[in-house]
Amino acid sequence: MKSVYTAEETLRLAKRANNPKRSYLLVNPLQGKHLAVSPRESLRMMQTLGKQLAAEFPEARLVIGFAETATAIGAMAASCFGEDCVYIHTTREPLPENSAVYFEEEHSHAIEQLLYCREMERWLEKTETVIFIDDEISTGKTLLNIIQQLSARFPAFRQKRLAAASILNRLTAENETRMESAGIVSRYLVKLPEADYSRAVEGFRIEEARLPEGEPQSWERVPVSWCSPRKGVLAFDYLDVCCRKSEALLPRFKELLPSKASVLVLGSEECMFPALVLGAVLEQQGGWEVRSHSTTRSPIGISTQAGYPIQEGWKLQSLYDPARTTYLYNLARYDAVILVTEKAEEAGLRTLSQALQAHGSQSQILVGGES
């Protein structure tokens, strides 16, 4: 397994659209979020981080991922710990009243985040270390925000060893010291040098994503229920269930897909991990040419300038809430697109289908979602 990753492999720099708090976005081409990638290659990177963490913190039995971009990283990394390791990720989706702690991701397009906590005291009893996982750590401010909330609500949390892990890390020495003074050690796959990314993106001329038009195509529906880690799951079981459900779908996809077809397995917002696992199974066992990425809430600027990673984008209605806008970037033409989602509002399916049709996709298959 590949154990060393570089900034050249894991970092592209994009410009946020209409975000005065932070003008740039770090885009990881291996993560399976904004850019299409081999799902096996993406999961391999996430597993590499997980194995490094499990080797250093074998006692950890609680892993917390950050929505939405790190939901899959956290799940794959948590599966590398013992079979009794709990994985939960933060969310921007509604949770039952008085069941969660609230904290802010201050630089984000969507500031408010929640972490389900009704089982937190029980989970804390079973671990000496709590690991937080994000795709990238820039200042550590979001981590300090959630840790402050958890410490205030759960006295036992203050006695735990804390680790903040990420694929990319660009903490300055000052921010690293601030984290350490709060009792948090940081771990990562790639350490980025200090750089002025705001200045680096100033020269990019960007446009906003477009609204799709035209006739949508009907979806071939394959009923599957994907469990969510929003309220906590055993990480090893979560991976196992996703694998078993994906393998059970192979005969159906052999009926629906021609051999050697180009296939996109598309996740939806926080539902990234099941899409990557299904994509990896189809890639390895089905013989298709498979790529994966997902829709996102992040509004990113579009530019065709040389070296810019996001060259095309669509503005969609969310599959979860038609009143919410989501985005899909760098969509290509595929013989088939398989959408993996927990929920599928018809308005979101329609606008997504319009975007797919603009690229000439031959068939659309919905795996999961509520009727």
Side-chain angles (χ1 to χ4, degrees):
M1 174 184 290
K2 182 179 174 64
S3 59
V4 177
Y5 288 83
T6 66
E8 288 72 22
E9 295 171 298
T10 56
L11 176 63
R12 305 290 183 270
L13 200 59
K15 194 171 185 177
R16 295 176 186 263
N18 302 318
N19 188 330
K21 291 169 287 188
R22 183 177 289 180
S23 61
Y24 61 86
L25 182 74
L26 306 186
V27 176
N28 185 339
L30 298 182
Q31 195 173 328
K33 186 57 174 176
H34 307 105
L35 304 178
V37 66
S38 156
R40 285 193 295 173
E41 186 176 355
S42 184
L43 291 173
R44 189 178 301 122
M45 176 190 68
M46 299 170 187
Q47 187 181 48
T48 300
L49 177 64
K51 287 190 172 182
Q52 290 183 11
L53 294 171
E56 184 175 359
F57 308 104
E59 75 288 351
R61 290 298 179 269
L62 178 59
V63 174
I64 301 173
F66 282 89
E68 62 181 37
T69 312
T71 54
I73 301 173
M76 193 68 213
S79 72
C80 298
F81 291 82
E83 293 186 6
D84 56 344
C85 178
V86 170
Y87 174 60
I88 186 170
H89 67 68
T90 67
T91 184
R92 295 184 177 96
E93 299 298 330
L95 289 173
E97 189 175 356
N98 300 320
S99 69
V101 296
Y102 161 88
F103 68 100
E104 292 186 348
E105 186 179 2
E106 296 174 22
H107 66 272
S108 177
H109 54 283
I111 294 175
E112 297 181 358
Q113 290 224 36
L114 299 169
L115 179 68
Y116 182 82
C117 283
R118 281 191 176 162
E119 307 295 324
M120 184 59 68
E121 290 181 342
R122 181 170 63 87
W123 295 334
L124 289 173
E125 286 177 0
K126 297 181 178 180
T127 189
E128 294 304 314
T129 299
V130 180
I131 298 179
F132 295 87
I133 296 185
D134 213 341
D135 57 321
E136 56 101 358
I137 298 178
S138 294
T139 65
K141 204 166 187 180
T142 301
L143 276 161
L144 293 172
N145 286 346
I146 189 174
I147 286 169
Q148 182 181 36
Q149 295 300 319
L150 289 170
S151 296
R153 183 159 172 178
F154 301 100
F157 184 83
R158 303 171 208 155
Q159 312 303 318
K160 304 302 176 182
R161 186 182 187 191
L162 305 178
S166 57
I167 304 298
L168 304 177
N169 178 297
R170 66 183 199 91
L171 288 172
T172 62
E174 179 183 356
N175 284 330
E176 190 83 52
T177 299
R178 184 175 62 163
M179 296 268 284
E180 290 173 355
S181 67
I184 311 163
V185 298
S186 62
R187 298 293 184 264
Y188 47 82
L189 284 188
V190 178
K191 180 67 174 179
L192 299 176
E194 290 189 32
D196 188 344
Y197 291 131
S198 295
R199 181 181 293 274
V201 300
E202 283 180 354
F204 289 123
R205 301 179 301 276
I206 61 170
E207 298 177 351
E208 293 189 39
R210 296 178 291 160
L211 292 167
E213 299 176 347
E215 279 297 316
Q217 181 177 314
S218 61
W219 291 83
E220 177 78 33
R221 296 180 184 248
V222 178
V224 174
S225 175
W226 301 107
C227 65
S228 168
R230 289 187 191 96
K231 295 183 181 179
V233 292
L234 291 176
F236 185 85
D237 288 351
Y238 182 44
L239 172 60
D240 183 60
V241 167
C242 288
C243 287
R244 286 191 286 107
K245 288 188 176 184
S246 297
E247 289 170 350
L249 291 171
L250 271 173
R252 179 66 173 139
F253 284 123
K254 288 181 178 178
E255 295 174 358
L256 295 172
L257 304 177
S259 60
K260 303 188 184 302
S262 61
V263 179
L264 173 66
V265 182
L266 185 68
S268 59
E269 300 182 37
E270 294 176 8
C271 184
M272 291 179 62
F273 189 61
L276 285 169
V277 173
L278 175 59
V281 168
L282 298 182
E283 186 178 26
Q284 184 168 14
Q285 301 184 35
W288 295 287
E289 180 185 341
V290 181
R291 292 294 180 267
S292 291
H293 58 133
S294 75
T295 62
T296 173
R297 290 200 193 191
S298 296
I300 308 174
I302 312 300
S303 177
T304 56
Q305 288 178 252
Y308 192 81
I310 307 295
Q311 300 197 336
E312 185 262 0
W314 296 101
K315 186 183 294 187
L316 310 173
Q317 288 177 278
S318 171
L319 293 159
Y320 297 78
D321 178 358
R324 188 165 79 214
T325 299
T326 57
Y327 301 86
L328 181 58
Y329 299 109
N330 284 24
L331 185 62
R333 182 197 177 281
Y334 297 91
D335 296 323
V337 176
I338 300 169
L339 171 62
V340 176
T341 184
E342 309 149 284
K343 192 172 182 180
E345 293 283 352
E346 289 300 323
L349 288 175
R350 182 177 63 253
T351 55
L352 175 56
S353 179
Q354 288 173 317
L356 298 177
Q357 293 312 298
H359 290 267
S361 297
Q362 297 298 302
S363 66
Q364 301 169 177
I365 303 168
L366 170 60
V367 182
E370 298 175 357
S371 57

